[in-house]
Structures are given as C-alpha cells and as structure tokens.
Amino acid sequence: MYEPPFTRDRDANERLAARECDACGWVSFPEFRDICKRCESVGEWTDTELEERGTVQSYVVQQRLPDEFETPLPLAIMDVPQTSGGDPARVYGLFTETDPEHIDIGMKAEADFRRVFDVDGLPVHSFKFKRPRGDRL
Amino acid sequence: MRDVAVVGAGMIDFGELFEQSFDDMAERAYLNALDDVDKEISSDDIDAAWFGTLDIAENASSGLGLSHPTGLFEMPVTRVENACATGSTAFRSAVEAVRAGSADVALVLGAEKMRDSAGGLIEGASLEQVWRGRGVTMPAFFGLRATRHMEAYGTTREQVAEVSVKNHENGAKYPHAHYRFTCSVEDVVDSPQVTYPLNLYDCCPVTDGAAATVIVSEDVVDEYTDDPVWVAGSGLATDTFQRGKDESLAGFPATRQAAEQAYEEAGITADDVDVAEVHDCFTITELVTYEDLGFCETGEGGAFVESGTPHLDGEKPVNPSGGLLAKGHPIGATGVAQVNEIYEQLRGEAGAVQVENDPEYGLQHNIGIGRDATGSVSCINVLSKHRP
Ligand SMILES: [Zn+2]
C-alpha cells in the first residue's frame, strides 16, 4: 500500500499479533499503544498471538454496500482467543465462503488471510473469517 | 452556577429539501426560534451562539457557517461536532456556558444538508479502516445489537418492528415530519432487507433539516417569558465495544453512563421521566435505549414496546414527534429538534402529538457512532417544568 495509513497499519492488518495488559488482562488488538482502554493504566504489555479461530458473538448480513464489496456480506463481532489463554480479543470479522444461513451466535469460525478488496486499484490484504472446513454443510 | 431556561424553539419542516440551501434552512429555523419567544427578543440580545453540524455537504467548517445565515457576527460562535449527538452536544455546551456566566442569552442552531451529497457517510464508515471496521456500515453497527438481543433475550422480530409502527403512527400526526405514513408490523418485516436482521422500514430516512433553540439565564428569563422550561440536567459519555464489556453486545454502555450523569444532576430517576425523544436511527436503537435509560429492565425492551407503554397515549410516551424514523435525521439538527419537542411537550403546546400525562420532566437522547464504528457517544439532556 502506498498511502501512509495502510503502510502504518500493515502489521496489524496482516498479522494476528496482539498485546495483553499486564494490569487487567485486556487484549489490545490491532492497536499497539501504551494506555489500556479498559483499566486506563499506562501499563506494561506482554506480546501475545491470537488463535486463527474465533467465536461469533453477534452477526449481520449486509445487503447494500459500495461497489468495492461483494454482497450479501456476513459480518460478525468475533471473540478471538490468545494462543496462550487469558481474555480473547473482541473484533469485527468480515466473512467469506459462508452461506448467510449458516452463521450463528456461538459458532466457531476460522481466520483466513485474504485480499479484502481494492482501493484505487491497489489490493488491501487482511483477515476474513469462514466456517471451519470440517463444519461445512 | 446559574439556572438556565429554554425560551424559544424553532425548526423547519424536515424532508428532501433540494430547493433550499444550507443557509436557507438555517435562516428559517433561526427566525422561527426568535418568533417563538413569548415576549420580544432581538438579535442584539444574543450574546453567543453554538452551532451543531457535521458539515456533511461542506457548507460550514467554522462558526461562520452560523453567522452567514443569521447575521450574528462579531460574537463568539462555537461549532460543535459529535457524531449523531452533535445537536444535543451543542445544546449541552451552550447550557454550560450560560450556567457559568459567560452569556445571558444564547442561540443553539443545528443544521444538516444530507441530500446534497451522495457518498459521504456510507463510504466513510465502510472504507476507512481495514481490519477494525472496514465494511461495517451504520445498519450493521446497529443490526449486530439486534441479532444479539434477539438471541440473548428472546426478543422477536415483530417486537423490533413495533418501534417503527409506533413512530410512524406519531409521525403521521406531526407537521414537521419527513415521512407521514403509517405502517403495520407486516409492512416492516416484509420491507426490503438492508442488513439482516434490519429492513428498510427499520431505518430512518436521509433527510435535510434545521432547528434552533434560544436559552437564557435565570437573571434575564423574566424579560422573555412567564412560562420557561428549565434545564434540569445533562450527561455525555463515550464507549467502545472493543473494551470487551458484554453489555455492549446488545446495548450501549455510553447511554447508561450519560443517563446516570443526567439523572444525578437533575435529582431524578428514570421513573420521573414523563416523555422522551430518543435516538431511533434504527428500530433496535430505540428498543435497547429503553433499557439503557432505565425505562425497563435489561432484556425487556421488546415487551416494553409491545405493552404500549411508550405509545403516545401510554404511561411513558417515547418519540411523540415520530422520532428519527418518521421525522428524519439531519444529523446536526436532530438533537436540537428533540430539545424543541420536549420544550413544547412540557409547555403543553405540542398540538396533535401532545402527550396526555401532564409531563413535568422530559428527556432528550442521542447516540452516535465514531472512528471505526466501534465507538459510540451518547448525550442526554433533561428538561423540567419546574426550576431546579
Ligand atoms: Zn488494562
């Protein structure tokens, strides 16, 4: 990506790297700043990695979007656990290869690195979620 | 700190106002507010002004955007922008300044041209951030709460639709509303799907509009009216669902925070609120707001609207003006118009949508999205017939 915001956020967009607040256990993802959003301390942080699998907390299916997106587009709030345990990160998850009928609260979904869409002809890469292979209907 | 009163309220008919410019709308709302003051007021009396707009169609990037249509130059004009809570935050800011003694007579003006620019909001919200919310539009942000609320509490699709039915019923009687039609639960659940589980009739329209309010300090109130409506309390808070609180999955903790502040300042509880104008950008927003404001228990918003309690003739009427769903949602004007509606309700001047419970306290509420659409801001103002 040639635009500064995309370059700056590239690590967060392209890796499942996160940080855990040593004071309260909150997981900061995708941001890497010093102040904790939950306990407000300027705390110590421990680098952590997220699992490539999360749990759907809620979802919608978007039917009307700008041309850059395919519709219908399922979108969920995901809880993504740390590989080392502790609190999960709570993030938005765009879905792919998933029939809108087959998405549900409590469902597990796998993170997959994808070309999300193009901006001015340039590809933007990030994670999308999909129903795990063994669970496909 | 001094007590502050509302003494004048003006707005224009909301709608698709292609023939009116931003300044045309703002000028008319301002003149209507001056006209509404019981005793005489002149522009020379105004000490300062607060101006709420998101400036979506790029008409007003400074306080000058208020000075041009009103002729109010050479005085402090503060432009306020706070997402969908822009208008109510402008009102709150003006009240705080008058309370503190920096003005005796202040104007609050909110205006938005939503229909003069096509892309703006949706593209901004959906394309801004890659991972943290890219592809997340307004209906998605609120629809996520609807799916979770239905799953967690057994709220039915029909109960969610009841909010639209109620507000369109009120809007059909409200002279300034953008939409003045009525609809049934079937109409709502059969309307085209926008973002599952929300359909077209669950969404507010894209609307142009302007509204203005005149507020004064206790020191000069007698010069303007014998029937003031007092500002009893207010609250303002932000939150983001990324903090991991489970309440934010099916509700808005920012509203709970703002309500706590406002009730405490007013010395009341949720039970004392007789009439409310709340944010219903989508049906589910109003349904969860009943719970966030303490009008009913968490999880009971569906039963609350089904019971008829928030209807025009119910015990606690909510959105007598038709709300954003019927009246429309010109962002900067929305909160100001809500304040004006509560002012009219408390004075018994709300005409065909006047509530019948002889209201003493009225509440106005907005919630807005922010940043990557994970954040939210909530602003609440409580008005009272009686001096605090
Ligand atoms: Zn912390």
Side-chain angles (χ1 to χ4, degrees), chain A residues 21 23-26 36 38-41:
Chain A
C21 173
C24 75
W26 180 70
C36 176
R38 182 193 278 165
C39 73
E40 299 169 27
S41 66

Side-chain angles (χ1 to χ4, degrees), chain B residues 192-236:
Chain B
Q193 192 169 90
V194 174
T195 291
Y196 170 87
L198 301 177
N199 296 351
L200 189 60
Y201 284 14
D202 290 289
C203 309
C204 70
V206 181
T207 302
D208 297 323
T213 310
V214 180
I215 63 170
V216 303
S217 75
E218 62 183 32
D219 297 340
V220 300
V221 66
D222 295 341
E223 296 173 30
Y224 298 104
T225 185
D226 297 325
D227 189 16
V229 168
W230 297 92
V231 182
S234 129
L236 179 60

Side-chain angles (χ1 to χ4, degrees), chain B residues 100-153:
Chain B
S102 67
D104 269 319
V105 180
L107 172 75
V108 184
L109 175 69
E112 209 75 56
K113 258 276 155 209
M114 304 287 290
R115 298 287 304 182
D116 279 12
S117 131
L121 269 178
I122 287 177
E123 279 171 21
S126 58
L127 294 172
E128 199 62 23
Q129 307 271 348
V130 178
W131 172 259
R132 283 167 279 175
R134 199 146 206 183
V136 185
T137 58
M138 316 279 165
F141 182 61
F142 292 93
L144 286 161
R145 269 73 183 182
T147 308
R148 178 81 180 196
H149 204 279
M150 292 192 286
E151 167 87 7
Y153 305 117

Side-chain angles (χ1 to χ4, degrees), chain A residues 31-66:
Chain A
E31 295 172 353
F32 280 80
R33 268 187 288 277
D34 290 333
I35 302 172
C36 176
K37 280 188 180 40
R38 182 193 278 165
C39 73
E40 299 169 27
S41 66
V42 187
E44 299 294 314
W45 297 84
T46 303
D47 287 339
T48 180
E49 210 171 297
L50 302 180
E51 286 185 11
E52 291 186 8
R53 175 181 271 236
T55 309
V56 173
Q57 298 299 316
S58 191
Y59 69 95
V60 292
V61 182
Q62 301 191 96
Q63 304 283 5
R64 285 152 191 272
L65 287 170

